[in-house]
Short mmCIF file of all heavy atoms in Angstrom, two decimals:
data_model
loop_
_atom_site.label_atom_id
_atom_site.label_comp_id
_atom_site.label_asym_id
_atom_site.label_seq_id
_atom_site.Cartn_x
_atom_site.Cartn_y
_atom_site.Cartn_z
N MET A 15 -8.50 25.68 -19.42
CA MET A 15 -8.44 24.96 -18.14
C MET A 15 -7.91 23.55 -18.36
O MET A 15 -8.31 22.86 -19.27
CB MET A 15 -9.86 24.89 -17.56
CG MET A 15 -9.89 24.34 -16.16
SD MET A 15 -11.57 24.23 -15.53
CE MET A 15 -11.56 22.57 -14.91
N LYS A 16 -7.01 23.16 -17.52
CA LYS A 16 -6.50 21.79 -17.57
C LYS A 16 -7.59 20.85 -17.08
O LYS A 16 -8.24 21.13 -16.09
CB LYS A 16 -5.26 21.70 -16.69
CG LYS A 16 -4.43 20.49 -17.01
CD LYS A 16 -3.21 20.42 -16.10
CE LYS A 16 -2.70 19.02 -16.13
NZ LYS A 16 -2.33 18.51 -14.85
N GLY A 18 -7.41 17.76 -15.93
CA GLY A 18 -7.10 16.97 -14.74
C GLY A 18 -7.66 15.57 -14.74
O GLY A 18 -7.39 14.78 -15.62
N LEU A 25 -8.33 8.16 -20.44
CA LEU A 25 -7.17 7.30 -20.67
C LEU A 25 -7.39 5.91 -20.09
O LEU A 25 -7.00 4.91 -20.67
CB LEU A 25 -5.91 7.91 -20.04
CG LEU A 25 -5.42 9.19 -20.71
CD1 LEU A 25 -4.16 9.67 -20.02
CD2 LEU A 25 -5.16 8.98 -22.18
N LEU A 26 -8.06 5.85 -18.95
CA LEU A 26 -8.31 4.57 -18.31
C LEU A 26 -9.08 3.66 -19.26
O LEU A 26 -8.80 2.49 -19.39
CB LEU A 26 -9.11 4.75 -17.02
CG LEU A 26 -8.35 5.35 -15.86
CD1 LEU A 26 -9.28 5.52 -14.67
CD2 LEU A 26 -7.19 4.47 -15.48
N SER A 29 -7.01 2.28 -22.40
CA SER A 29 -5.92 1.33 -22.25
C SER A 29 -6.46 -0.05 -21.93
O SER A 29 -6.98 -0.30 -20.87
CB SER A 29 -4.99 1.78 -21.12
OG SER A 29 -4.08 0.74 -20.84
N ALA A 31 -4.50 -2.86 -22.61
CA ALA A 31 -3.36 -3.78 -22.65
C ALA A 31 -3.37 -4.69 -21.43
O ALA A 31 -3.67 -4.25 -20.33
CB ALA A 31 -2.07 -3.00 -22.71
N ALA A 33 -1.46 -6.71 -18.63
CA ALA A 33 -0.14 -6.49 -18.04
C ALA A 33 0.81 -7.65 -18.28
O ALA A 33 1.99 -7.45 -18.55
CB ALA A 33 -0.30 -6.24 -16.55
N SER A 36 3.00 -7.60 -21.25
CA SER A 36 3.73 -6.37 -21.50
C SER A 36 5.14 -6.35 -20.94
O SER A 36 5.93 -5.50 -21.29
CB SER A 36 2.96 -5.19 -20.93
OG SER A 36 1.67 -5.17 -21.48
N GLU A 37 5.45 -7.30 -20.09
CA GLU A 37 6.75 -7.27 -19.44
C GLU A 37 7.88 -7.29 -20.46
O GLU A 37 8.91 -6.64 -20.29
CB GLU A 37 6.89 -8.47 -18.48
CG GLU A 37 8.19 -8.44 -17.73
CD GLU A 37 8.43 -9.67 -16.87
OE1 GLU A 37 7.45 -10.29 -16.41
OE2 GLU A 37 9.61 -9.99 -16.65
N SER A 38 7.68 -8.04 -21.55
CA SER A 38 8.73 -8.15 -22.55
C SER A 38 8.99 -6.81 -23.24
O SER A 38 10.00 -6.65 -23.92
CB SER A 38 8.35 -9.20 -23.59
OG SER A 38 7.07 -8.89 -24.10
N THR A 56 16.00 -11.35 -13.77
CA THR A 56 14.60 -11.54 -14.16
C THR A 56 13.99 -12.83 -13.60
O THR A 56 12.84 -13.14 -13.86
CB THR A 56 14.45 -11.59 -15.70
OG1 THR A 56 15.39 -12.53 -16.20
CG2 THR A 56 14.72 -10.23 -16.31
N MET A 57 14.78 -13.55 -12.83
CA MET A 57 14.27 -14.81 -12.29
C MET A 57 13.10 -14.55 -11.33
O MET A 57 12.13 -15.30 -11.32
CB MET A 57 15.42 -15.49 -11.54
CG MET A 57 15.07 -16.81 -10.94
SD MET A 57 16.46 -17.38 -9.95
CE MET A 57 17.51 -18.02 -11.23
N HIS A 59 11.76 -11.16 -10.55
CA HIS A 59 10.91 -9.99 -10.82
C HIS A 59 11.26 -9.36 -12.15
O HIS A 59 12.34 -9.57 -12.69
CB HIS A 59 10.97 -8.96 -9.69
CG HIS A 59 12.34 -8.55 -9.26
ND1 HIS A 59 13.16 -7.77 -10.06
CD2 HIS A 59 13.04 -8.79 -8.13
CE1 HIS A 59 14.29 -7.54 -9.41
NE2 HIS A 59 14.27 -8.17 -8.25
N SER A 60 10.31 -8.56 -12.66
CA SER A 60 10.52 -7.90 -13.94
C SER A 60 11.56 -6.79 -13.79
O SER A 60 11.87 -6.33 -12.68
CB SER A 60 9.20 -7.34 -14.46
OG SER A 60 8.44 -6.78 -13.40
N ASP A 62 11.44 -3.77 -14.52
CA ASP A 62 10.98 -2.43 -14.10
C ASP A 62 11.37 -2.14 -12.65
O ASP A 62 11.39 -0.98 -12.24
CB ASP A 62 9.48 -2.21 -14.34
CG ASP A 62 8.63 -3.41 -14.03
OD1 ASP A 62 9.14 -4.35 -13.39
OD2 ASP A 62 7.45 -3.41 -14.43
N TYR A 63 11.71 -3.18 -11.88
CA TYR A 63 12.24 -2.93 -10.54
C TYR A 63 13.53 -2.11 -10.63
O TYR A 63 13.82 -1.29 -9.75
CB TYR A 63 12.53 -4.25 -9.80
CG TYR A 63 11.35 -4.74 -8.98
CD1 TYR A 63 10.26 -5.34 -9.60
CD2 TYR A 63 11.33 -4.60 -7.60
CE1 TYR A 63 9.18 -5.80 -8.86
CE2 TYR A 63 10.27 -5.05 -6.84
CZ TYR A 63 9.19 -5.64 -7.48
OH TYR A 63 8.12 -6.08 -6.74
N ASN A 67 13.90 2.18 -9.75
CA ASN A 67 14.87 2.67 -8.76
C ASN A 67 16.04 3.38 -9.43
O ASN A 67 17.04 3.67 -8.79
CB ASN A 67 15.32 1.52 -7.87
CG ASN A 67 14.21 1.08 -6.93
OD1 ASN A 67 13.98 1.69 -5.91
ND2 ASN A 67 13.47 0.04 -7.29
N VAL A 86 20.06 -12.04 0.88
CA VAL A 86 18.74 -12.12 1.52
C VAL A 86 17.73 -12.85 0.64
O VAL A 86 17.02 -13.74 1.11
CB VAL A 86 18.21 -10.70 1.85
CG1 VAL A 86 16.83 -10.79 2.49
CG2 VAL A 86 19.18 -9.96 2.76
N MET A 87 17.70 -12.49 -0.64
CA MET A 87 16.66 -13.04 -1.52
C MET A 87 17.08 -14.36 -2.16
O MET A 87 16.26 -15.04 -2.76
CB MET A 87 16.27 -12.03 -2.59
CG MET A 87 15.76 -10.71 -2.03
SD MET A 87 14.40 -10.94 -0.84
CE MET A 87 14.08 -9.24 -0.36
N GLY B 252 5.43 -7.63 -26.69
CA GLY B 252 5.04 -6.35 -26.09
C GLY B 252 3.54 -6.10 -26.24
O GLY B 252 2.83 -6.85 -26.89
N LEU B 260 1.65 8.97 -18.06
CA LEU B 260 1.16 10.21 -17.45
C LEU B 260 2.34 10.93 -16.80
O LEU B 260 3.10 10.31 -16.08
CB LEU B 260 0.13 9.91 -16.36
CG LEU B 260 -1.16 9.23 -16.79
CD1 LEU B 260 -1.97 8.90 -15.56
CD2 LEU B 260 -1.93 10.13 -17.71
N LEU B 276 -0.35 3.23 -17.40
CA LEU B 276 -1.61 2.57 -17.03
C LEU B 276 -1.75 1.25 -17.77
O LEU B 276 -1.65 1.21 -18.99
CB LEU B 276 -2.79 3.47 -17.40
CG LEU B 276 -2.98 4.70 -16.54
CD1 LEU B 276 -4.03 5.62 -17.16
CD2 LEU B 276 -3.42 4.32 -15.14
N GLU B 277 -1.99 0.19 -17.03
CA GLU B 277 -2.26 -1.11 -17.65
C GLU B 277 -3.20 -1.92 -16.78
O GLU B 277 -3.33 -1.68 -15.59
CB GLU B 277 -0.96 -1.88 -17.87
CG GLU B 277 -0.15 -1.27 -18.99
CD GLU B 277 0.66 -2.26 -19.78
OE1 GLU B 277 0.18 -3.39 -19.99
OE2 GLU B 277 1.76 -1.89 -20.18
N ALA B 278 -3.84 -2.91 -17.41
CA ALA B 278 -4.85 -3.70 -16.69
C ALA B 278 -4.38 -5.12 -16.45
O ALA B 278 -3.97 -5.82 -17.37
CB ALA B 278 -6.15 -3.72 -17.49
N ALA B 284 -7.73 -0.61 -15.84
CA ALA B 284 -6.37 -0.11 -16.02
C ALA B 284 -5.97 0.67 -14.76
O ALA B 284 -6.68 1.55 -14.32
CB ALA B 284 -6.29 0.78 -17.24
N LYS B 287 0.71 1.12 -13.29
CA LYS B 287 1.65 0.01 -13.19
C LYS B 287 2.94 0.49 -12.53
O LYS B 287 3.56 1.43 -12.99
CB LYS B 287 1.94 -0.53 -14.58
CG LYS B 287 2.69 -1.84 -14.64
CD LYS B 287 4.20 -1.77 -14.55
CE LYS B 287 4.91 -1.00 -15.62
NZ LYS B 287 6.41 -1.06 -15.45
N SER B 289 5.13 -2.30 -11.19
CA SER B 289 5.94 -3.42 -11.68
C SER B 289 4.99 -4.48 -12.23
O SER B 289 3.88 -4.65 -11.72
CB SER B 289 6.83 -4.00 -10.59
OG SER B 289 6.05 -4.69 -9.64
N TYR B 290 5.45 -5.19 -13.28
CA TYR B 290 4.62 -6.23 -13.88
C TYR B 290 4.64 -7.52 -13.07
O TYR B 290 3.64 -8.19 -12.91
CB TYR B 290 5.13 -6.56 -15.29
CG TYR B 290 4.85 -5.48 -16.30
CD1 TYR B 290 5.88 -4.80 -16.92
CD2 TYR B 290 3.53 -5.16 -16.62
CE1 TYR B 290 5.61 -3.82 -17.86
CE2 TYR B 290 3.26 -4.18 -17.55
CZ TYR B 290 4.30 -3.50 -18.17
OH TYR B 290 4.04 -2.53 -19.08
N ARG B 291 5.87 -7.89 -12.59
CA ARG B 291 6.03 -9.22 -11.98
C ARG B 291 7.01 -9.12 -10.82
O ARG B 291 8.17 -8.82 -11.05
CB ARG B 291 6.55 -10.19 -13.05
CG ARG B 291 6.75 -11.63 -12.59
CD ARG B 291 7.14 -12.48 -13.76
NE ARG B 291 8.32 -11.96 -14.42
CZ ARG B 291 9.57 -12.27 -14.07
NH1 ARG B 291 9.81 -13.09 -13.09
NH2 ARG B 291 10.59 -11.73 -14.70
N ASN B 294 2.54 -5.04 -9.12
CA ASN B 294 2.33 -3.94 -8.19
C ASN B 294 1.66 -2.81 -8.94
O ASN B 294 2.28 -2.16 -9.79
CB ASN B 294 3.66 -3.52 -7.56
CG ASN B 294 4.11 -4.51 -6.51
OD1 ASN B 294 3.46 -4.67 -5.48
ND2 ASN B 294 5.19 -5.22 -6.79
N PRO B 377 14.95 3.49 -2.05
CA PRO B 377 14.59 2.40 -2.96
C PRO B 377 13.35 1.64 -2.49
O PRO B 377 13.00 1.68 -1.31
CB PRO B 377 15.83 1.49 -2.95
CG PRO B 377 16.61 1.86 -1.74
CD PRO B 377 16.25 3.26 -1.39
N GLY B 378 12.75 0.93 -3.43
CA GLY B 378 11.51 0.21 -3.16
C GLY B 378 10.51 0.57 -4.24
O GLY B 378 10.84 1.31 -5.17
N MET B 421 10.20 -17.28 -6.22
CA MET B 421 10.50 -18.08 -7.40
C MET B 421 11.57 -19.12 -7.11
O MET B 421 11.71 -20.09 -7.84
CB MET B 421 10.94 -17.19 -8.56
CG MET B 421 9.92 -16.13 -8.94
SD MET B 421 8.31 -16.81 -9.35
CE MET B 421 8.69 -17.64 -10.89
N THR B 425 14.38 -17.58 -1.34
CA THR B 425 13.75 -16.28 -1.07
C THR B 425 12.84 -16.41 0.15
O THR B 425 12.04 -17.35 0.21
CB THR B 425 12.92 -15.82 -2.29
OG1 THR B 425 13.77 -15.80 -3.43
CG2 THR B 425 12.33 -14.44 -2.08
N PRO B 426 12.97 -15.51 1.12
CA PRO B 426 12.11 -15.63 2.31
C PRO B 426 10.63 -15.59 1.93
O PRO B 426 10.19 -14.68 1.25
CB PRO B 426 12.49 -14.40 3.15
CG PRO B 426 13.73 -13.84 2.57
CD PRO B 426 13.88 -14.35 1.17
N TYR B 490 11.57 -13.25 7.89
CA TYR B 490 12.24 -12.04 7.38
C TYR B 490 11.30 -10.84 7.30
O TYR B 490 11.68 -9.73 7.64
CB TYR B 490 12.80 -12.35 5.98
CG TYR B 490 13.26 -11.12 5.22
CD1 TYR B 490 14.51 -10.55 5.48
CD2 TYR B 490 12.45 -10.51 4.26
CE1 TYR B 490 14.93 -9.42 4.80
CE2 TYR B 490 12.86 -9.39 3.57
CZ TYR B 490 14.09 -8.84 3.84
OH TYR B 490 14.50 -7.72 3.18
N GLU B 533 -6.25 18.52 -9.09
CA GLU B 533 -4.81 18.28 -8.98
C GLU B 533 -4.01 19.55 -9.23
O GLU B 533 -4.51 20.54 -9.78
CB GLU B 533 -4.34 17.13 -9.86
CG GLU B 533 -4.87 17.15 -11.26
CD GLU B 533 -4.25 16.06 -12.14
OE1 GLU B 533 -3.82 15.01 -11.61
OE2 GLU B 533 -4.20 16.28 -13.36
N ARG B 537 -6.53 25.13 -13.50
CA ARG B 537 -6.86 26.56 -13.56
C ARG B 537 -8.36 26.79 -13.41
O ARG B 537 -9.16 26.00 -13.86
CB ARG B 537 -6.36 27.15 -14.87
CG ARG B 537 -4.84 27.23 -14.86
CD ARG B 537 -4.35 28.16 -15.92
NE ARG B 537 -4.25 27.46 -17.19
CZ ARG B 537 -3.96 28.08 -18.34
NH1 ARG B 537 -3.78 29.39 -18.36
NH2 ARG B 537 -3.86 27.39 -19.45
#
Side-chain angles (χ1 to χ4, degrees):
Chain A
M15 188 182 131
K16 198 181 161 223
L25 292 181
L26 287 178
S29 170
S36 303
E37 183 185 332
S38 54
T56 51
M57 181 186 280
H59 50 71
S60 40
D62 39 14
Y63 269 76
N67 289 280
V86 179
M87 302 307 179
Chain B
L260 297 175
L276 288 170
E277 288 212 36
K287 191 275 299 182
S289 71
Y290 288 117
R291 181 175 56 88
N294 285 294
M421 303 304 291
T425 305
Y490 168 81
E533 46 174 27
R537 289 197 276 174

